[in-house]
Amino acid sequence: MKKMNNIVLISAATILGFAACKGPGQKGAPVIPPTPVNVIAATEAPAVYYDKYPATVVALNQVELRSQVSGFITGIFFKEGEIVQKGKVLYEIDRRKYEAAYLQAQANVASSRASFERAKKDDDRYQRLADQDAVARQIVDNAKATLETSRSQLAAAEANLAAVRTDLDYSLIKAPFTGRIGISQVKLGAQVSPGSTLLNSISSENPIAVDFVVNENDIARFAALQGNAATSDSTFRLQLSNGAEYTHGGKILAIDRGVDNQTGTIRVRIEFNNPDDQLKDGMSCVLRVLNDQSGHRLVIPYKAITEQMGEYFVFVAGDSTATQKKVHLGPKIGDRIVIMDGIQSGEKVIVEGFQRLRDGGKIQIGIPAAPQDAAAKK
C-alpha cells in the first residue's frame, strides 16, 4: 500500500511539472515557431535559350578518286592536303597504249570514210545509169548495199574512236571540282585497276554543312525555319568539340525526303560559311537552335525548385504562411530557371529555408535575397 502511494505521488508531480511549462491560458500541444525564410520576387527577364542537338560536319561535295582504266601510275601532280582547282590534273596513268589505240582508231576512221566515199560515188554513178536504163538493176542494188555497209563501218569506226579517246582521257585523273585533296593512297609506279583502286579523296570546304536528326514531331518547326526569309544569323549556332563557339551563323539547306521508320527521326542539313577552314568533314559538334519560346519569360533562382515524384514545386510566401505550388519548368539558364506556368510575376518565391516547410506552414520572412541580374543569355 505504501508502494502504491509513492507511484501516485510521482504521477502527480509529473503532471504538475508539465503544467508549470505552460504559460497562463495555454492549452494543447506546444506551439511550433515560424520558420525563418528568405524570398525573392519572380520577375520577367530576357531569356534567350537554345535547343541542343549532336551533329556532324559534312562536306557538300565529296568524292573518292578511282581510276577507270588500268595501268601504272606515271605521274602525281599535287601536294597532299592542298586546295586543287576544278580540272587540275592530279594523277597520270601510263598513256602509251591508250595513245597507240587512239592513233589506230583514227586510221580506221580515215579508212572507213574513204570506203564510204567510194561507195557513195559508185552508187551515184549507177543510179544515173539506171535512170537511162543503161545498167542492170542488180548492179544498182549491189551498189546501194555496199554504200550502206560502208556507212555502218564508218559509224562503228567513229564510235570506236570516241571510246579510245575516252580511255585516253581517263588516263589523266582530274579534279572534278575545287576542293581540298587528301593524302594519296598510291605512289608512283603503283598498278591500278579500273574502279577498285582508291587513289585519293577530295572534298569541298566553303561552304560546308552540318547534319543532325530531329524527332518527326519537330518537322513542322524546321520546315517553317527553312521557309522563313527573316531567319537571323543567331538561329543556328555551332559549338565545336573543344567547347569553342563557331563565329558564323548557319541556315537550313535541306530537310531529308522522309522519316526513318525505325527511329522516327529525320535528317536536317544546315549550311555554314567556312572561310577559315575551321570546320573539317567528319568533325563532331553540337548544333544549337534558337528556341522559338525565347523572349521575356518568368525566371526564378534554380535553387528554389523542389522535386517530388517527377513533378516540380516552389513555395510562395504569403503574409505569414507558405503555399506550395506546382510549376512547369522551361530551360535552365545559368543559375536560374524559366517557369512556363504555375506562378505569377511578382509572387515572392522562397529561396532559403523551404527545406523544413510544409504546405501552409508558418514562416517568418528574413532579409530578402539580393536580386539577380535581369538579363540571362546562354
Side-chain angles (χ1 to χ4, degrees):
M1 185 69 177
K2 183 177 182 180
K3 185 175 181 180
M4 182 64 70
N5 290 338
N6 290 339
I7 293 173
V8 173
L9 289 174
I10 292 173
S11 299
T14 302
I15 294 172
L16 291 174
F18 275 113
C21 292
K22 296 181 181 180
Q26 288 183 325
K27 297 180 180 179
V31 176
I32 300 175
T35 302
V37 296
N38 282 338
V39 300
I40 190 171
T43 58
E44 290 189 359
V48 179
Y49 49 93
Y50 289 81
D51 301 320
K52 296 182 179 181
Y53 299 89
T56 304
V57 178
V58 294
L60 290 177
N61 286 319
Q62 180 173 341
V63 67
E64 293 182 341
L65 300 177
R66 298 179 186 270
S67 172
Q68 297 191 57
V69 295
S70 61
F72 295 92
I73 299 294
T74 56
I76 298 177
F77 308 105
F78 63 90
K79 182 179 179 181
E80 293 173 327
E82 72 174 351
I83 297 291
V84 294
Q85 299 300 314
K86 180 179 180 180
K88 176 181 172 62
V89 176
L90 305 175
Y91 293 92
E92 180 188 62
I93 297 172
D94 190 355
R95 311 186 75 205
R96 290 173 295 180
K97 70 174 183 179
Y98 300 111
E99 288 173 340
Y102 180 67
L103 293 175
Q104 183 178 357
Q106 282 183 315
N108 290 338
V109 168
S111 176
S112 297
R113 183 172 287 113
S115 297
F116 172 74
E117 293 296 335
R118 185 180 66 248
K120 189 173 186 302
K121 290 178 181 179
D122 289 344
D123 179 67
D124 291 341
R125 184 181 301 113
Y126 287 125
Q127 186 61 50
R128 287 194 301 269
L129 292 173
D131 292 341
Q132 299 172 7
D133 200 19
V135 67
R137 190 67 194 174
Q138 183 178 1
I139 295 176
V140 176
D141 293 341
N142 289 340
K144 286 187 176 298
T146 301
L147 175 63
E148 292 305 318
T149 300
S150 298
R151 193 192 309 274
S152 299
Q153 290 173 344
L154 176 59
E158 289 175 338
N160 182 62
L161 176 63
V164 296
R165 181 190 293 120
T166 300
D167 286 344
L168 181 60
D169 291 341
Y170 282 157
S171 66
L172 294 177
I173 312 298
K174 301 178 181 180
F177 52 82
T178 298
R180 189 174 298 276
I181 195 165
I183 296 174
S184 180
Q185 303 299 302
V186 294
K187 303 299 181 185
L188 281 173
Q191 185 175 15
V192 297
S193 301
S196 60
T197 306
L198 175 63
L199 306 179
N200 211 321
S201 296
I202 183 173
S203 60
S204 62
E205 292 187 332
N206 187 27
I208 204 164
V210 169
D211 282 0
F212 67 106
V213 295
V214 300
N215 189 281
E216 58 185 324
N217 296 329
D218 292 330
I219 293 177
R221 173 190 176 188
F222 285 92
L225 288 174
Q226 185 179 25
N228 185 4
T231 299
S232 67
D233 287 343
S234 62
T235 301
F236 300 100
R237 308 297 296 180
L238 205 59
Q239 184 177 0
L240 304 182
S241 56
N242 61 1
E245 294 291 329
Y246 189 63
T247 56
H248 300 279
K251 62 180 180 180
I252 292 184
L253 181 64
I255 299 175
D256 209 353
R257 62 167 188 83
V259 175
D260 187 323
N261 57 12
Q262 294 183 346
T263 63
T265 60
I266 191 169
R267 184 172 60 162
V268 181
R269 176 165 290 179
I270 310 296
E271 180 183 296
F272 287 87
N273 289 326
N274 190 32
D276 302 322
D277 193 28
Q278 282 185 271
L279 302 180
K280 297 287 189 181
D281 179 56
M283 286 178 61
S284 296
C285 56
V286 176
L287 182 72
R288 300 193 301 153
V289 183
L290 184 66
N291 192 291
D292 53 9
Q293 293 184 336
S294 291
H296 272 72
R297 299 296 177 200
L298 196 66
V299 293
I300 63 172
Y302 183 72
K303 64 181 181 179
I305 302 295
T306 59
E307 180 183 1
Q308 298 177 12
M309 309 268 311
E311 296 181 327
Y312 299 93
F313 300 87
V314 296
F315 283 96
V316 175
D319 292 336
S320 60
T321 59
T323 303
Q324 190 178 45
K325 293 188 175 183
K326 181 180 177 180
V327 293
H328 291 95
L329 304 182
K332 186 180 178 183
I333 305 175
D335 61 350
R336 301 197 298 167
I337 188 79
V338 173
I339 302 298
M340 306 306 295
D341 59 66
I343 59 174
Q344 303 296 321
S345 178
E347 288 190 286
K348 295 179 180 179
V349 176
I350 298 175
V351 294
E352 293 178 357
F354 61 83
Q355 294 84 355
R356 300 181 298 274
L357 281 177
R358 293 184 178 180
D359 188 23
K362 299 291 184 180
I363 59 171
Q364 179 181 358
I365 299 175
I367 301 174
Q372 302 185 18
D373 181 17
K377 291 186 178 181
K378 186 178 180 182

